[in-house]
């Protein structure tokens, strides 16, 4: 039985809170006027860089680290992040590096575990890491963010979407936050009149899932949506969803909102199909990867609409080049997480160049320089043209939506 599965489209729903900027498809940066506070910090950092700037042939390198789940159930995310960043590093090094200095790139596996993420951070720090692209998933990112804050190390997470991930002033993110996704989901369902009776199945043990749901529930009331069933599960009970599905069915749900990752979503779709129940399903960006779930009947995902800032079938020069390189290097089609990390490395490049920073500065001085410049730069990347950041570390860019047709993602207008 073929399922219809919808995911959020932030492009319309977030128009009031996110600035959509135009630009070319080539990765580039421009400098904008800083705020008064940012200008003062940037001036100090730039002065430090200029006072003791070594020559590029002094042997110094930028040491950029990446942390994510390279093994385990979330490995599709972590490997994509590491791979996407590697492509950016290779391009930048081939073009002369950052301010004339090459990048030394290193990565570590956290297995989607907070404690292991901290261990991975300490291991990379022992190897001389100066800036961090990571971590990939929210719980590990929150744990590591406390460590980078204590060390005043600049951290740019490609995909840590929980609010707490970017709570510290040294942390920025490329992706959108969970609350933005939750509110936009409810708005999209309401404005497109997909359903009025909604069931929610969410992971109460995961900050990503529960964070999205909390904002979704608040906005649902504003949209005239009735939540007829709220069914939670945890990391210890994430294999059998028949009870939750039955309660949702009995409550008369027309649509089931699934704010969690693709592995559990594949089980939900499979078990609903077994029950002979065919409501609408609506998910969030954690669904990216569902077509790669082992032993999953991908026909059940046909018609899936998915929020993603990146569509691999886009025809602009930057996307075509990135997808071609990724396929040649890794034998796979890149997902949004690979694109997020690619853009993260270019954002770091733009910030360090704006600050005229060099790798012989201290970790703390590099952090202060990057922080000041992040609120000034604009980056045209894979996940958005004219991307900018505010002082809270949040990005402003236009998201995109795709749907699955014939077992592939197709861009939506």
């Amino acid at each position: 039985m073929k399922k219809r599965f919808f995911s959020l489209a932030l492009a319309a729903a977030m128009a009031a809170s996110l600035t959509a900027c135009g630009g070319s498809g080539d990765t580039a940066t421009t400098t904008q006027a800083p705020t008064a506070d940012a200008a003062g910090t940037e001036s100090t950092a730039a002065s430090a860089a200029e006072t003791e700037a070594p020559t590029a042939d002094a042997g110094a390198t930028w040491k950029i680290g990446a942390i994510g789940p390279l093994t385990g159930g979330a490995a599709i995310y972590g490997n994509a992040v590491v791979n996407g960043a590697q492509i950016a590093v290779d391009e930048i090094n081939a073009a002369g590096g950052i301010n004339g200095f090459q990048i030394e790139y290193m990565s570590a596996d956290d297995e989607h575990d907070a404690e292991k993420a901290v261990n991975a951070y300490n291991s990379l720090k022992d190897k001389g890491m100066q800036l961090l692209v990571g971590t990939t998933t929210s719980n590990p990112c929150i744990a590591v963010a406390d460590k980078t804050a204590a060390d005043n190390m600049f951290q740019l997470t490609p995909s840590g979407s929980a609010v707490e991930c970017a709570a510290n002033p040294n942390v920025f993110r490329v992706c959108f936050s969970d609350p933005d996704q939750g509110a936009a989901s409810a708005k999209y369902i309401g404005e497109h009149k997909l359903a009025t009776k909604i069931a929610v199945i969410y992971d109460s043990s995961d900050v990503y899932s529960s964070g999205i749901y909390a904002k979704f529930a608040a906005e649902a009331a504003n949209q005239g949506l009735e939540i007829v069933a709220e069914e939670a599960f945890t990391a210890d009970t994430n294999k059998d969803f028949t009870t939750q599905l039955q309660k949702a069915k009995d409550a008369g749900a027309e649509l089931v909102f699934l704010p969690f990752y693709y592995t559990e979503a594949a089980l939900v779709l499979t078990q609903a199909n077994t029950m002979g129940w065919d409501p609408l399903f609506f998910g969030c960006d954690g669904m990216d990867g569902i077509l790669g779930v082992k032993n999953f009947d991908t026909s059940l995902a046909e018609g899936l609409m998915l929020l993603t800032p990146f569509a691999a079938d886009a025809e602009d020069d930057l996307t075509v080049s990135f997808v071609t390189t990724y396929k040649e290097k890794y034998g796979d089609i890149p997902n949004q997480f690979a694109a997020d990390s690619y853009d993260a490395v270019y954002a770091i490049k733009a910030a360090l160049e704006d600050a005229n920073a060099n790798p012989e500065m201290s970790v703390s001085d590099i952090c202060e320089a990057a922080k000041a410049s992040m609120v000034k730069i604009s980056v045209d990347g894979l996940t958005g043209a004219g991307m900018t950041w505010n002082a809270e570390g949040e990005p402003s860019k236009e998201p995109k939506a795709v749907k699955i047709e014939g077992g592939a993602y197709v861009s939506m207008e």
Side-chain angles (χ1 to χ4, degrees):
M1 184 179 299
K2 188 176 296 182
K3 298 286 182 185
R4 289 175 294 170
F5 186 110
F6 289 89
S7 184
L8 66 99
L10 281 178
M14 295 179 67
S17 60
L18 297 174
T19 303
C21 303
S24 68
D26 299 324
T27 299
T29 64
T30 58
T31 301
Q32 299 177 337
T35 62
D37 289 342
T41 307
E42 189 271 344
S43 177
T44 301
S47 296
E50 293 167 0
T51 300
E52 298 182 11
T55 57
D57 60 359
T61 59
W62 294 106
K63 294 179 173 60
I64 299 178
I67 299 174
L70 307 182
T71 58
I76 192 172
Y77 297 137
N79 283 296
V81 162
V82 169
N83 294 345
Q86 183 68 66
I87 291 176
V89 168
D90 291 345
E91 290 177 355
I92 292 168
N93 281 343
I98 301 174
N99 291 332
F101 297 92
Q102 295 286 287
I103 302 170
E104 182 180 343
Y105 179 60
M106 57 190 80
S107 62
D109 185 8
D110 66 17
E111 301 178 42
H112 187 43
D113 179 88
E115 183 177 351
K116 292 178 180 177
V118 171
N119 292 338
Y121 171 73
N122 289 330
S123 174
L124 292 179
K125 189 172 70 168
D126 288 344
K127 295 178 181 178
M129 176 175 61
Q130 299 164 305
L131 308 102
L132 174 61
V133 175
T135 63
T136 301
T137 50
S138 288
N139 275 331
C141 189
I142 293 168
V144 169
D146 286 340
K147 301 302 179 183
T148 60
D151 294 331
N152 200 31
M153 179 184 293
F154 184 77
Q155 180 178 352
L156 179 56
T157 173
S159 48
S161 56
V163 172
E164 296 87 349
C165 290
N168 297 324
N170 64 304
V171 186
F172 289 71
R173 71 171 120 230
V174 175
C175 65
F176 295 116
S177 69
D178 296 338
D180 286 339
Q181 293 196 57
S185 297
K187 289 178 182 177
Y188 188 81
I189 293 169
E191 291 173 0
H192 289 77
K193 302 186 185 305
L194 298 181
T196 56
K197 294 187 176 182
I198 314 297
V200 181
I201 301 174
Y202 70 102
D203 184 351
S204 60
S205 66
D206 180 56
V207 293
Y208 168 78
S209 184
S210 56
I212 292 175
Y213 170 57
K215 199 70 173 182
F216 175 87
E219 182 58 34
N222 298 331
Q223 297 295 323
L225 305 177
E226 180 185 3
I227 297 179
V228 297
E230 303 174 30
E231 299 299 320
F233 67 93
T234 69
D236 296 324
T237 60
N238 64 352
K239 298 295 186 293
D240 186 354
F241 298 94
T242 53
T243 298
Q244 292 95 331
L245 287 167
Q246 189 63 54
K247 289 183 178 180
K249 180 180 180 182
D250 293 344
E254 303 159 333
L255 179 149
V256 183
F257 181 50
L258 306 175
F260 47 83
Y261 295 110
Y262 64 91
T263 46
E264 290 91 351
L267 293 175
V268 170
L269 290 174
T270 301
Q271 291 166 18
N273 182 62
T274 300
M275 291 170 55
W277 190 39
D278 190 25
L280 296 176
F281 287 96
F282 190 113
C284 296
D285 66 353
M287 297 299 174
D288 196 359
I290 195 168
L291 294 178
V293 175
K294 187 177 182 180
N295 299 323
F296 173 60
D297 180 0
T298 56
S299 68
L300 300 179
E302 190 73 8
L304 155 69
M305 286 183 63
L306 175 69
L307 166 77
T308 173
F310 170 74
D313 70 322
E315 297 179 353
D316 61 281
D317 291 344
L318 179 60
T319 299
V320 170
S321 175
F322 176 70
V323 171
T324 299
T325 302
Y326 198 98
K327 286 180 178 178
E328 291 174 350
K329 192 174 182 68
Y330 303 110
D332 200 1
I333 297 174
N335 59 23
Q336 70 183 61
F337 296 87
D340 282 336
S341 64
Y342 178 93
D343 286 350
V345 175
Y346 272 99
I348 286 176
K349 175 180 183 289
L352 294 175
E353 289 179 342
D354 177 80
N356 194 28
N358 68 74
E360 291 195 350
M361 294 165 60
S362 70
V363 165
S364 182
D365 284 346
I366 291 172
C367 182
E368 291 303 313
K371 282 165 51 182
S373 290
M374 282 296 291
V375 299
K376 299 189 296 174
I377 62 171
S378 175
V379 176
D380 291 337
L382 292 166
T383 68
M387 287 184 290
T388 60
W389 286 263
N390 63 23
E392 286 69 47
E394 300 294 347
S396 176
K397 59 183 175 179
E398 181 182 5
K400 306 166 187 176
V402 299
K403 71 175 180 178
I404 295 176
E405 290 183 350
Y409 294 110
V410 178
S411 298
M412 299 292 292
E413 294 297 332

